[in-house]
Amino acid sequence: MSVAIVTGASRGLGRALAGELAARGWDLVLSARGAAALEEAAAGPARAPGVRVVTVAGDVSSEAHRAELVAAARGLGGLDLLVNNAGVLGAEPLVPLAVQPPAGLREAFEVNVLGPLGLVQEGLPLLRASAAGAVLNISSDAAVVPYATWGAYGATKAAVDLLSAVLAVEEPGLRVWWADPGSMRTRMMAAAEPGEDLAGLPAPQEVAPVLLRLLEGGLPSGRYTAEGLAAAPAGGGVRR
């Protein structure tokens, strides 16, 4: 049975992706900072008949936590998919760069960039050993568009995009996707811009199956958007 690590799995897109993978029969290693919320997620959408779920509470910026996640995957038989979804904004609500707190920016780079890179490094031996090893790094439109107040968060996602592209070149035996899910109705989005009306945005549960078309279609390494994947014919996708 295939094994996936999903970070930031206690809510939002991470939880939705875990649920979709479980429904497809994947064994899961789930990570999030909050132990109680993570256990609740594991007992909910991520629980499916015959699926093994291991929860490991912690912060992806911690080297010890990353090692524990990969060890848990090894215990389930290997690692076929790494989903780097966990992230922080750097300030809540978002603020202009003129007043961006250095501590918030530092935390955002540690969680959003160093965390995923460290987890890739830790998991590479298992990913290389998989018949179809893949990495899905969650990106953002803010990585490529200069939105006011999104500078710090966008900088971390731009860094992840470039790291992903280089990883795809350096590891041609893996599929490496960096995917922009688009704006969603999530707690993070509400914290970023508390005055915005999010009612018209899709829920993570609507976006997760679209992103998993990358996996189901065996699409090549590259940058994708949920919008492009949704519009493409079955088995195809628009890279951006």
Side-chain angles (χ1 to χ4, degrees):
M1 188 174 288
S2 299
V3 179
I5 292 175
V6 182
T7 67
S10 64
R11 55 187 172 90
L13 183 61
R15 177 170 176 157
L17 285 168
E20 290 291 332
L21 287 167
R24 290 160 171 76
W26 283 66
D27 288 334
L28 301 172
V29 177
L30 305 181
S31 164
R33 287 176 169 179
L38 186 59
E39 290 298 332
E40 193 275 330
R47 182 62 64 187
V51 169
R52 296 173 295 172
V53 180
V54 177
T55 59
V56 185
D59 194 317
V60 295
S61 65
S62 162
E63 183 177 352
H65 178 62
R66 297 193 298 265
E68 192 175 358
L69 290 175
V70 174
R74 186 179 294 109
L76 292 177
L79 179 59
D80 304 286
L81 173 65
L82 169 59
V83 181
N84 281 312
N85 167 75
V88 298
L89 291 167
E92 295 185 10
L94 296 176
V95 295
L97 289 176
V99 292
Q100 170 66 44
L105 180 60
R106 186 175 299 110
E107 180 192 21
F109 269 94
E110 288 176 349
V111 174
N112 301 357
V113 182
L114 298 181
L117 176 58
L119 199 44
V120 165
Q121 292 172 333
E122 188 76 31
L124 264 179
L126 294 182
L127 289 166
R128 289 168 175 161
S130 170
V135 177
L136 171 56
N137 290 327
I138 301 302
S139 184
S140 168
D141 197 29
V144 295
V145 180
Y147 297 119
T149 74
W150 286 85
Y153 178 80
T156 67
K157 291 302 182 179
V160 168
D161 278 10
L162 183 57
L163 289 176
S164 301
V166 173
L167 181 66
V169 172
E170 294 176 343
E171 298 289 336
L174 303 181
R175 285 169 296 161
V176 182
W177 306 302
W178 47 112
D180 169 19
S183 296
M184 296 174 289
R185 197 166 63 249
T186 63
R187 188 184 305 177
M188 175 180 270
M189 190 64 181
E193 298 182 338
E196 292 295 312
D197 181 5
L198 308 184
L201 298 180
Q205 292 79 7
E206 300 172 70
V207 177
V210 175
L211 292 183
L212 288 187
R213 293 181 185 179
L214 293 165
L215 187 67
E216 294 165 344
L219 298 185
S221 296
R223 189 181 200 278
Y224 294 83
T225 67
E227 182 181 15
L229 288 166
V238 178
R239 282 187 282 181
R240 174 182 168 186

